[in-house]
Amino acid sequence: MSMVSQPGGRPEEPPDTAAGPVHGPPGHGSGDITAHGSDGATPSPAASASTSDAASDSRHRLTALQGLAALSLDAMASVAYGPESIVLVLAAAGGYGLGFTLPVTLAIAALLAVLVASYRQVIAAYPDGGGSYAVARAHLGRRTALVAAASLVLDYVLNVAVSVTAGVAALTSAFPALYDDRAGICLAVLLVITAINLRGIVDSAKAFLLPTAVFIGAILTMIVVGLFRDGPASTVTADGHASVLAPQATAVGALLLLKAFASGCSALTGVEAVANAVPSFRAPAARRAQRTEVALGALLGVMLIGLSVLIGRFHLQPVEGVTVLAQLADASLGHNAAFYVVQFATMVLLALAANTSFGGLPVLMGLLARDNYLPHVFGLKADRQVHRHGVLALAAVAAVLLVFSGGDVNTLVPLFAIGVFVGFTLCQIGMVRHWRLGRSPGWRGKALLNGFGALLTGVSAVVVTATKFTEGAWLIVLALPLLVLLFEAVHRAYARIGERLGLGRVPEPPHRARSLVIVPVSHLSRLTCEALNAAVSLGDEVVAVTVTHGAPEDRRAAEALRRDWELWNPGVELLELPSATRSIGRPVAAYVTDLTTRRPGTRITVLIPEAEPAHLWQRLLQNQRGAVVAHAVRRDTDAVICRLRFRLEADARMW
């Protein structure tokens, strides 16, 4: 089996396909570190370094307040379109239908309370994060857990695209001249958010703390001021715009109310993000995450109910081209600077709401990678506790969606809420089973609460899917099982790799075999000398090989190399490998194959010397012969490949 040495690092390691981390008793290989020895002595240098590392690690994790800024933007921003979704559905029943805005919102707020209470328990029960996926994996089986994970992945990816496009839509509404450039602006916003998150979740929380505070303050101020008004302060925003209110009706059907409830539940997207990202919080992580979840639920509930009260108080009617939130700001605060503060804060928060996905999805992908359902690279953390590969993958997929939609939010919204409802429902069902198995005090009431929540979110998922199916929801219905199949394909691949590697079994004792090192050369230089120095240090026998061609100029070069080699006399044989074509990789691979057949007990290593330029751009000047040879040998043989890097010092005269 080939093992390729990577430049400047360790050999590439095989994937870890074990079922999970191995835990031992405290103090016996479990990773527990104590500050003092058993006799109370002064902390050892290793313990001091560990304490320093822990303090450094803590700085890159979230406090409860920072968690509210980093993980709640999606839910907070949903107040900009949640109430509007309810009003637009009820407008089909005329002014009579709008009278049900508050009751529908109260039902959503009740469901919000159920979800917050449930996810608070999820955080306590599953402090490693994962939310719906962790609950379903523990109580509903592997396949159901993958459905929950797939729904969360789709929700997070769509959240990025919807949030960015909605924020840019608010910008282009204020500055119509930018409308044709909205796709490019969306990509620029996505680039900024990605760059901030690559610096760490704490940095993103600090960057978004002020916009979050301004938005919450503006909405709460608007609600309080509006409650003290007898009528709207201004209607300038809606003047001249056509109403979308249907002719007067005297009855509202249950299906319409159910559809309004399901549409308004889009305001609940993002509630699960805190439970998915518990490991991102400082210790005690679970307690801080629970506080963040409760604060998020309280603020979101107050804002949703307050806005719905104002809609009824001002007898607001939806109109074309103006958001419900803009009309409410106009009616409560007047058409003045305060109105524009609300609009600007809404625009910024909508654009930044994508950050919720960057906080939650990389953690979820890390858990899936740990369980062998995604490539293990997604489980790696860079400095500042960043799942860098997860962040970049999320940004790449979101960018594709933004290009596909052309920056049009209406193209993406029908796809948005389905995934999160599926995750909500599976999480609630899993928690019902959790209470039944644990039978802790008061478990029946908790199970009943979760069961009721599962019923509501399940019905919402069905209604949203049915009503939005022809508008694009069929893509989610198709993508969900395909994503589950992808997870299972990755898992099977890791299982096969683990079987071939014999993971979990004690291997045979190592034994020494005779070693032969082959060094491809094309000329004499310091690089050739370093390669042979390394080769004679590694192997019992060393052979240098050079590929020769029949053309006259090639023969002259080969003869010159032979003369120089004999003059140098390094004590290593130089073997010519004739080639009828200009290929340099295949002759070396064929020679290795022949040696393997003739000397089956010999360990063969191909050591490929390569110069590493001092500047990145200078790599464009290299002929890439080493890569060609390595590819051919890796493809056609089982020889060990070692790529020797000879670093070239920087030359000041180059600049």
Side-chain angles (χ1 to χ4, degrees), residues 598-621:
R598 290 189 289 110
R599 303 170 66 171
T602 302
R603 170 67 67 181
I604 299 177
T605 300
V606 179
L607 188 148
I608 303 172
E610 295 176 294
E612 183 172 288
H615 303 287
L616 183 62
W617 68 268
Q618 292 174 338
R619 295 185 183 180
L620 298 174
L621 307 178

Side-chain angles (χ1 to χ4, degrees), residues 13 190 199 204 222 340 364 370 503 508 528 598 646:
E13 298 177 356
L190 177 62
R199 289 188 54 81
S204 70
M222 183 180 72
Y340 288 102
L364 174 62
R370 183 194 66 185
L503 293 179
E508 298 178 358
T528 309
R598 290 189 289 110
F646 181 73

Side-chain angles (χ1 to χ4, degrees), residues 315-376:
H315 305 288
L316 184 143
Q317 297 182 6
V319 297
E320 294 181 355
V322 179
T323 65
V324 169
L325 191 63
Q327 292 186 64
L328 289 176
D330 201 20
S332 295
L333 304 173
H335 203 76
N336 49 33
F339 168 82
Y340 288 102
V341 168
V342 173
Q343 291 302 101
F344 183 75
T346 303
M347 176 194 72
V348 172
L349 202 74
L350 278 169
L352 299 182
N355 194 69
T356 296
S357 295
F358 283 99
L361 182 57
V363 175
L364 174 62
M365 294 176 74
L367 293 177
L368 287 168
R370 183 194 66 185
D371 294 338
N372 299 327
Y373 292 112
L374 280 179
H376 290 165

Side-chain angles (χ1 to χ4, degrees), residues 516-529:
L516 169 63
V517 181
I518 300 171
V519 183
V521 299
S522 59
H523 55 269
L524 292 189
S525 66
R526 287 183 59 193
L527 179 60
T528 309
C529 181

